[in-house]
């Protein structure tokens, strides 16, 4: 793989971090002590990855002294592993771990030192010098890292999958690793640091402690997006130690000190357990963080529980961001389970929820008292209450729209020869529905069944919603990256079409990230069901979860799927006060209470 960066920058970012001795001080806990038992370091046979095919990499494992192979041990993974395993370097991780574990300032911890991959065809590594207990200390020239930027700077979970699916199972052959994410940490420097954060960000169920030194949260392959993503994503249970200095890099890819300050500010704003050590001087090296590394580990592995501090600066007027919407301590909880496939959520003015189990088939009413009652034995997708008190529903398999009397369960065909996916009903009784395949929005008169094409050309129109005042219609794209908005005219026609909201897109399999770029370059957002709250926010189910926008179309944030293995297809605000968000997530309905009031 040939680098695409300029030669000078590539050399700086891809080669191992060799720090100048000026400014570095050996921490007392990085010195070997005669009364402290020493763990062992083993150089493992070069690993040929399947997640990154065609690459091979050197790696080492540290096992603490006296480790019981049958007892689950804590874990810490280091990127650019040769630098951290070096017994004469600035980190001296095996010695630091020996000392901290001996004083019970860390649990017995297995360390994995993993180098980035390089093209297999380039030949074998030079053996280099021999360090502690057989650990190799590669010289500058033979160290290969052709795949480093792809692995470390990319967003997404590709590198994490290599750890979880390939490396850790191999480590598990030598010892027993704890599966408790609180007992797992990951760290690195420069691009290795942003890589460490990405692993924990993507898989907090596997890693919850991050050590980051001179982190490359800049525009190399998208890590510059993290400060914004953090502020607009539900906080994750991650503990983060950051270190940087004023003399760090400033080049075409970004300013490293500013980027790390932005990371700290974003994490602090969202209430994360974060510590930032910032110093004047130094540079893009391990002088600063290497000197305080044992203290960083002590802080990361401390037993005290973090108490989130919610940002309360300012009076909050106009602030409809995710931080103001979430209620501390309120998370997703199961509302209904054992369903075939849940879909078609809507609510009445009292907060009773209506939904469909498409595989039953059945349309149910879930009352505010928690009691579920069968309304009709029908399979529907879109489901909304009309001003006449009837439920209107889409039956794509029968190419029709139906009405259901929620009191009697009577079903009536309203319009046929359609391919409806989802719908909404205006105060005038006009039904607006999406036809995903034909890329059309159709208007149906609920009284006469007459139809006309209201719009065409949206990339897979799917979810549909009305603003609280009924003046704006919003349609989500399943095959694109926007939510389109229209004005509703008095005659029922639509005008003023605009890509009003930009959906956050998933990271594509190659690890690229942009806020919006149409397929096939990136995976589509898969915009699906929609709802609005009384403050005018829009809730859009998507591939990432529930994306929330304020009335002006600005993103408030994203709530991740309760069950990440199943799609979220529909959502509604229900419950007493209409302040509980319900989502259809495969075979379950989930709910969580929110603060939906508009800021004063």
């Amino acid at each position: 793989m040939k680098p695409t960066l300029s030669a000078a920058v590539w050399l700086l970012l891809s080669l191992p971090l060799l720090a100048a001795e000026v400014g570095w001080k050996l921490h007392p806990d990085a010195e070997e002590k005669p009364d402290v038992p020493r763990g062992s370091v083993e150089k493992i046979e070069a690993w040929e990855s399947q997640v990154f095919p065609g690459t091979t990499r050197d790696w080492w494992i540290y096992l603490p002294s006296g480790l019981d192979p049958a007892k689950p041990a804590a874990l810490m993974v280091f990127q650019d592993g040769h630098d951290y395993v070096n017994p004469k370097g600035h980190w001296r991780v095996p010695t630091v771990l020996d000392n901290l574990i001996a004083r019970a300032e860390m649990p017995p911890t297995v360390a994995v030192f993993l180098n980035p991959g390089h093209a297999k065809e380039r030949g074998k590594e030079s053996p280099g010098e021999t360090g502690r207990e057989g650990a190799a200390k590669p010289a500058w020239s033979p160290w290969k890292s052709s795949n480093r930027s792809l692995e470390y700077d990319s967003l997404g979970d590709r590198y994490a999958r290599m750890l979880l699916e390939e490396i850790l199972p191999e480590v598990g052959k030598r010892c027993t690793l704890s599966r408790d994410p609180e007992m797992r940490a990951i760290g690195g420097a420069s691009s290795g640091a942003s890589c460490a954060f990405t692993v924990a960000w993507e898989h907090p169920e596997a890693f919850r402690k991050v050590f980051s030194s001179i982190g490359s949260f800049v525009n190399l392959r998208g890590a510059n997006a993290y400060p914004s993503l953090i502020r607009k994503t539900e906080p994750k249970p991650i503990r983060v130690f950051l270190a940087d200095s004023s003399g760090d890099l400033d080049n075409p890819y970004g300013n490293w000190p500013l980027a790390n300050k932005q990371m700290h500010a974003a994490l602090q704003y969202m209430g994360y357990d974060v510590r930032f050590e910032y110093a004047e001087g130094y540079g893009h090296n391990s002088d600063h963080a290497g000197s305080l590394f044992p203290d960083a580990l002590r802080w990361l592995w401390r037993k005290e529980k973090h108490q989130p501090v919610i940002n309360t600066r300012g009076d909050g007027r106009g602030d409809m961001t995710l931080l103001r919407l979430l209620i501390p301590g309120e998370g997703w909880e199961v509302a209904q389970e054992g369903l075939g496939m849940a879909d078609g959520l809507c609510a009445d003015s009292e907060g009773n929820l209506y939904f469909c189990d498409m595989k039953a088939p059945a349309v149910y009413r879930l009352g505010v008292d928690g009691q579920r009652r069968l309304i009709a034995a029908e399979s529907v997708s879109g489901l909304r209450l009309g001003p006449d008190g009837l439920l209107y529903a889409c039956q794509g398999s029968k190419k029709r729209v139906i009405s259901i009397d929620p009191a009697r369960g009577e079903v009536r065909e309203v319009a046929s020869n359609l391919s409806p996916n989802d719908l909404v009903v205006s105060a005038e009784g006009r039904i607006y529905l999406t036809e995903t395949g034909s890329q059309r929005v159709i208007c149906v008169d609920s009284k006469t069944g007459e139809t006309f094409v209201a719009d065409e050309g949206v990339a897979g129109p799917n979810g549909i919603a009305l603003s609280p005042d009924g003046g704006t219609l919003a349609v989500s794209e399943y095959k694109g990256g926007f939510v389109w908005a229209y004005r509703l005219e008095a005659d029922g026609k639509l005008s003023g079409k605009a890509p009003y909201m930009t959906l956050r897109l998933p990271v594509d399999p190659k690890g690229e990230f942009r806020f919006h770029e149409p397929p096939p370059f990136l995976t589509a957002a898969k915009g699906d069901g929609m709802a609005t709250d009384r403050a005018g926010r829009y809730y859009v189910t998507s591939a990432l979860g529930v994306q929330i926008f304020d009335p002006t179309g600005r993103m408030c944030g994203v709530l991740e799927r309760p069950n990440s293995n199943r799609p979220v297809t529909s959502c509604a605000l229900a419950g007493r006060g209409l302040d509980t968000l319900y989502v259809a997530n495969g075979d379950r309905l989930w709910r969580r209470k929110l603060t939906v009031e508009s800021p004063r």
Side-chain angles (χ1 to χ4, degrees):
M1 181 179 295
K2 294 183 179 179
T4 58
L5 306 177
S6 67
V9 175
W10 180 264
L11 181 65
L12 179 62
L13 297 177
S14 298
L15 293 178
L17 298 171
L18 295 185
E21 293 293 331
V22 177
W24 173 72
K25 294 181 181 179
L26 180 65
H27 193 287
D29 288 328
E31 295 183 276
E32 293 183 357
K33 303 184 186 305
D35 59 336
V36 172
R38 299 175 65 191
S40 63
V41 175
E42 178 186 2
K43 188 178 189 300
I44 313 301
E45 182 179 355
W47 186 262
E48 297 181 12
S49 174
Q50 300 302 310
V51 175
F52 296 101
T55 66
T56 185
R57 68 201 64 237
D58 284 338
W59 63 305
W60 302 258
I61 297 177
Y62 161 87
L63 299 178
S65 175
L67 181 68
D68 183 348
K71 189 174 181 179
L75 168 72
M76 191 160 188
V77 176
F78 293 89
Q79 278 63 246
D80 295 316
H82 69 277
D83 204 24
Y84 292 87
V85 78
N86 184 355
K88 300 300 182 181
H90 281 18
W91 303 105
R92 308 188 185 194
V93 172
T95 299
V96 172
L97 295 185
D98 287 342
N99 292 331
L100 297 187
I101 292 171
R103 293 202 300 270
E105 293 176 333
M106 279 182 66
T109 302
V110 173
V112 175
F113 307 93
L114 194 64
N115 273 357
H118 63 85
K120 180 181 176 182
E121 61 270 18
R122 292 192 176 189
K124 296 181 179 180
E125 295 283 6
S126 169
E129 300 176 28
T130 299
R132 173 184 181 182
E133 302 294 339
K137 178 190 174 187
W140 177 281
S141 56
W143 189 73
K144 297 182 176 70
S145 60
S146 60
N147 216 43
R148 185 175 187 268
S149 180
L150 177 67
E151 295 177 11
Y152 287 6
D153 295 315
S154 296
L155 302 195
D157 72 344
R158 196 174 178 188
Y159 185 84
R161 286 194 296 108
M162 182 188 71
L163 290 179
L164 297 173
E165 297 170 12
E166 298 182 356
I167 298 299
L168 297 190
E170 188 68 20
V171 177
K173 296 176 181 179
R174 294 166 170 79
C175 58
T176 303
L177 296 177
S178 173
R179 293 185 177 274
D180 181 356
E182 299 290 352
M183 297 292 283
R184 290 184 171 190
I186 185 166
S190 190
S191 294
S194 53
C195 174
F197 184 83
T198 297
V199 169
W201 178 263
E202 293 288 340
H203 288 280
E205 82 291 349
F207 289 91
R208 291 196 178 168
K209 293 175 171 61
V210 177
F211 171 77
S212 167
S213 168
I214 54 175
S216 296
F217 300 104
V218 293
N219 194 15
L220 288 167
R221 291 179 184 266
N224 58 307
Y226 273 131
S228 177
L229 293 176
I230 291 166
R231 290 176 183 267
K232 295 181 179 181
T233 303
E234 182 177 3
K236 305 187 181 191
I238 303 171
R239 179 177 288 178
V240 184
F241 184 97
L242 300 167
D244 203 7
S245 56
S246 61
D248 203 351
L249 293 175
D250 185 14
N251 62 33
Y253 304 100
N255 181 289
W256 269 245
L258 289 178
N260 278 273
K261 287 182 177 181
Q262 287 274 37
M263 284 290 292
H264 175 240
L267 290 165
Q268 192 173 50
Y269 175 79
M270 293 301 289
Y272 278 78
D273 190 2
V274 59
R275 176 173 170 179
F276 186 32
E277 289 291 338
Y278 188 79
E280 295 297 325
Y282 296 100
H284 196 70
N285 53 46
S286 55
D287 286 1
H288 173 230
S291 297
L292 53 81
F293 177 65
D295 298 324
L297 290 188
R298 253 189 294 269
W299 182 85
L300 276 173
W301 290 97
R302 76 191 194 281
K303 295 180 180 179
E304 291 82 3
K305 296 293 183 180
H306 172 63
Q307 297 297 326
V309 177
I310 302 301
N311 188 301
T312 57
R313 288 182 294 179
D315 58 12
R317 286 183 294 183
D319 185 351
M320 300 182 75
T321 58
L322 188 65
L323 185 64
R324 307 297 180 189
L325 185 64
L326 299 179
I327 300 175
E330 293 282 351
W332 291 112
E333 62 179 21
V334 176
Q336 293 283 295
E337 58 186 338
L339 306 173
M341 180 180 176
D343 204 359
L345 276 59
C346 70
D348 60 26
S349 59
E350 295 178 353
N352 301 301
L353 182 76
Y354 297 85
F355 70 94
C356 177
D357 182 347
M358 299 187 73
K359 291 187 177 180
V363 174
Y364 294 107
R365 175 186 183 270
L366 181 63
V368 292
D369 58 1
Q371 298 300 309
R372 190 176 82 181
R373 178 168 65 88
L374 177 67
I375 299 296
E378 299 286 345
S379 179
V380 304
S381 50
L383 185 66
R384 296 294 170 95
L385 272 166
D388 54 6
L390 297 177
L391 286 166
Y392 290 88
C394 296
Q395 286 192 319
S397 61
K398 297 182 179 180
K399 295 187 176 298
R400 67 177 185 170
V401 173
I402 61 173
S403 68
I404 305 172
D405 186 327
R408 299 180 177 84
E410 296 175 352
V411 177
R412 180 178 68 88
E413 184 177 283
V414 176
S416 59
N417 297 318
L418 300 168
S419 298
N421 185 331
D422 200 356
L423 56 74
V424 72
V425 188
S426 73
E428 296 77 23
R430 296 189 181 98
I431 300 170
Y432 294 87
L433 62 87
T434 56
E435 289 190 330
T436 305
S438 62
Q439 301 191 128
R440 301 191 303 178
V441 178
I442 306 293
C443 181
V444 180
D445 188 311
S446 62
K447 298 181 179 64
T448 66
E450 295 180 353
T451 68
F452 68 86
V453 177
D455 183 61
E456 296 181 273
V458 172
N462 196 328
I464 190 165
L466 282 168
S467 60
D469 64 4
T472 301
L473 182 75
V475 176
S476 67
E477 286 185 326
Y478 192 80
K479 298 181 179 179
F482 292 120
V483 174
W484 294 81
Y486 310 81
R487 287 192 298 271
L488 265 68
E489 303 296 347
D491 60 0
K493 294 182 179 179
L494 304 179
S495 65
K497 180 180 179 180
Y500 198 58
M501 305 168 219
T502 302
L503 293 165
R504 186 190 296 176
L505 300 181
V507 178
D508 79 350
K510 296 180 180 179
E512 303 276 334
F513 176 90
R514 293 176 182 83
F515 278 98
H516 176 71
E517 184 174 325
F521 303 104
L522 286 182
T523 307
K526 295 186 178 179
D528 205 331
M530 291 185 67
T532 54
D533 65 23
R534 59 179 175 270
R537 296 181 187 88
Y538 294 86
Y539 299 76
V540 188
T541 63
S542 71
L544 292 176
V546 183
Q547 305 199 29
I548 307 169
F549 299 85
D550 71 14
T552 69
R554 298 175 301 185
M555 176 176 279
C556 302
V558 178
L559 296 177
E560 295 185 343
R561 292 170 291 174
N563 179 357
S564 61
N565 295 320
R566 303 293 296 271
V568 284
T569 55
S570 183
C571 62
L573 276 299
R576 290 187 175 92
L578 298 174
D579 58 0
T580 301
L581 178 65
Y582 284 77
V583 298
N585 189 196
D587 59 355
R588 293 180 176 183
L589 293 183
W590 297 76
R591 67 187 171 202
R592 66 183 304 165
K593 196 166 185 179
L594 303 172
T595 303
V596 301
E597 294 295 340
S598 177
R600 296 180 180 178

